[in-house]
Amino acid sequence: MATKFTQAKPYDPNTNFSVKAVGTVLDRSLQRLQVDAVDLYQIHYPPARRRLDTYLDAMAATVKSGKAKAIGVSNFSTDYLRHSYTYLQSVHGVTLASNQVGFNLLHRHPERNGMLAACRELGVTSLPILPLAEGVLTGKFRVGGQEHGGQGPTLFRGASLFEPGESFFKAMRSKPYEMHREELEPLFEVMDQIARAHDGTIAQVALNWLINTDPLVIPIPGAKSPSQVKSNAAALSWTMTAEEFSRLAETEAAIRRSLRL
Ligand SMILES: NC(=O)c1ccc[n+]([C@@H]2O[C@H](COP(=O)([O-])OP(=O)(O)OC[C@H]3O[C@@H](n4cnc5c(N)ncnc54)[C@H](OP(=O)(O)O)[C@@H]3O)[C@@H](O)[C@H]2O)c1
């Protein structure tokens, strides 16, 4: 069981919690969940650099009190992640367990910007958020499928992209991702072939691909119905071949190159 603490949501002024709230927010979550401890307590957004250690102290205290079995971060840059890991280990003897990071087959920046390498080196589990690209990677919006209203889904850039000195919220909100339906079709064709070969679905291929990127990668897909939960969980029941994994990666890379993304 996992939960998160947010110090402030930019779109909700009522969530401007101070560092003191790290503990009280968890207490309220434990009450609502009717448990004594959560397996994972995460900090949702990276605090300002000058306040980072104070928040890490408060997060570490939840492990020491036994109310959290482990702690994780979310949307942290590689630099923040490395600092947090070292600080928690050296000052508190607490091992940072996880990092929620924007990562999916259409958003592969963590492979390129050092985030996955850092997690692997430190033994931190990566929890890819939006692993189905807000439903795009289920294939439902591909050519011939459902129309997606508006300009198409905005793929969350994730803070793995933001570098020291760059505003997290600016990075998060910039560069909305266009839904290139026609251009993405070769990728969906490959996904469809792989899905058929394993008696699976396109969504399962997207999740299976993430799982295959690294043993320490555990995608956290969202679901709107019990059948979506069951179907997504079934991504664990088969494994794509190395050739299929590479074919997907190469097809995505070719599309990205042709779109100059
Ligand atoms: N750390 C952060 O800042 C952050 C930010 C965003 C999200 N997250 C986390 O990331 C996780 C996933 O986020 P998400 O749900 O927004 O994105 P997602 O996993 O990429 O997309 C999930 C959506 O895809 C559709 N879907 C899921 N399974 C399907 C299936 N088997 N067949 C067909 N459609 C399917 C559903 O929408 P429809 O049925 O409506 O199409 C579902 O809501 C959540 O745990 C969320 O809390 C974290």
Side-chain angles (χ1 to χ4, degrees):
M1 193 178 291
T3 189
K4 282 200 293 256
F5 166 83
T6 186
Q7 61 275 41
K9 282 185 189 168
Y11 44 85
D12 183 355
N14 296 320
T15 57
N16 193 12
F17 296 128
S18 73
V19 69
K20 288 183 192 150
V22 169
T24 52
V25 163
L26 178 58
D27 286 342
R28 277 186 245 141
S29 292
L30 294 176
Q31 272 170 14
R32 285 193 296 269
L33 293 165
Q34 300 183 353
V35 294
D36 295 328
V38 288
D39 298 301
L40 182 65
Y41 191 38
Q42 305 150 99
I43 184 160
H44 200 150
Y45 297 112
R49 181 65 188 82
R50 69 183 187 287
R51 308 193 67 201
L52 176 58
D53 292 353
T54 316
Y55 276 100
L56 294 173
D57 292 339
M59 294 294 289
T62 67
V63 173
K64 291 177 185 173
S65 70
K67 292 177 182 175
K69 293 180 188 162
I71 50 175
V73 296
S74 167
N75 299 311
F76 273 34
S77 68
T78 309
D79 179 52
Y80 262 53
L81 177 89
R82 284 187 181 280
H83 172 86
S84 303
Y85 182 90
T86 306
Y87 181 85
L88 285 166
Q89 196 72 62
S90 60
V91 175
H92 295 288
V94 169
T95 301
L96 180 66
S98 65
N99 179 29
Q100 288 201 18
V101 60
F103 183 32
N104 63 45
L105 196 42
L106 295 176
H107 181 99
R108 296 175 54 194
H109 303 77
E111 289 178 304
R112 298 190 287 270
N113 64 11
M115 177 57 83
L116 280 192
C119 286
R120 191 178 302 128
E121 178 194 323
L122 301 172
V124 172
T125 298
S126 296
L127 303 176
I129 61 171
L130 307 178
L132 298 174
E134 298 169 317
V136 173
L137 284 169
T138 66
K140 68 174 79 176
F141 303 117
R142 64 185 287 195
V143 171
Q146 290 177 32
E147 284 297 325
H148 192 284
Q151 65 175 25
T154 300
L155 279 197
F156 195 77
R157 284 182 72 206
S160 56
L161 292 179
F162 93 117
E163 298 301 330
E166 185 184 1
S167 155
F168 166 66
F169 292 115
K170 188 174 160 212
M172 192 175 93
R173 288 173 163 182
S174 61
K175 291 198 181 167
Y177 196 99
E178 297 292 327
M179 176 67 188
H180 299 283
R181 281 166 72 112
E182 301 283 346
E183 293 86 345
L184 285 179
E185 199 49 27
L187 182 67
F188 286 121
E189 281 165 15
V190 174
M191 293 177 87
D192 204 22
Q193 287 162 12
I194 297 170
R196 285 169 197 271
H198 296 276
D199 203 15
T201 65
I202 288 180
Q204 287 170 9
V205 171
L207 298 174
N208 212 290
W209 183 83
L210 277 171
I211 291 163
N212 274 279
T213 55
D214 194 286
L216 283 180
V217 168
I218 304 176
I220 49 170
K224 292 269 174 60
S225 65
S227 66
Q228 287 185 356
V229 174
K230 279 188 199 151
S231 176
N232 294 343
L236 295 168
S237 66
W238 58 272
T239 305
M240 68 178 58
T241 65
E243 186 280 325
E244 289 167 338
F245 179 84
S246 304
R247 190 150 39 108
L248 275 173
E250 283 159 18
T251 307
E252 183 278 342
I255 295 169
R256 189 161 31 82
R257 276 195 303 275
S258 72
L259 291 171
R260 296 176 193 275
L261 292 173

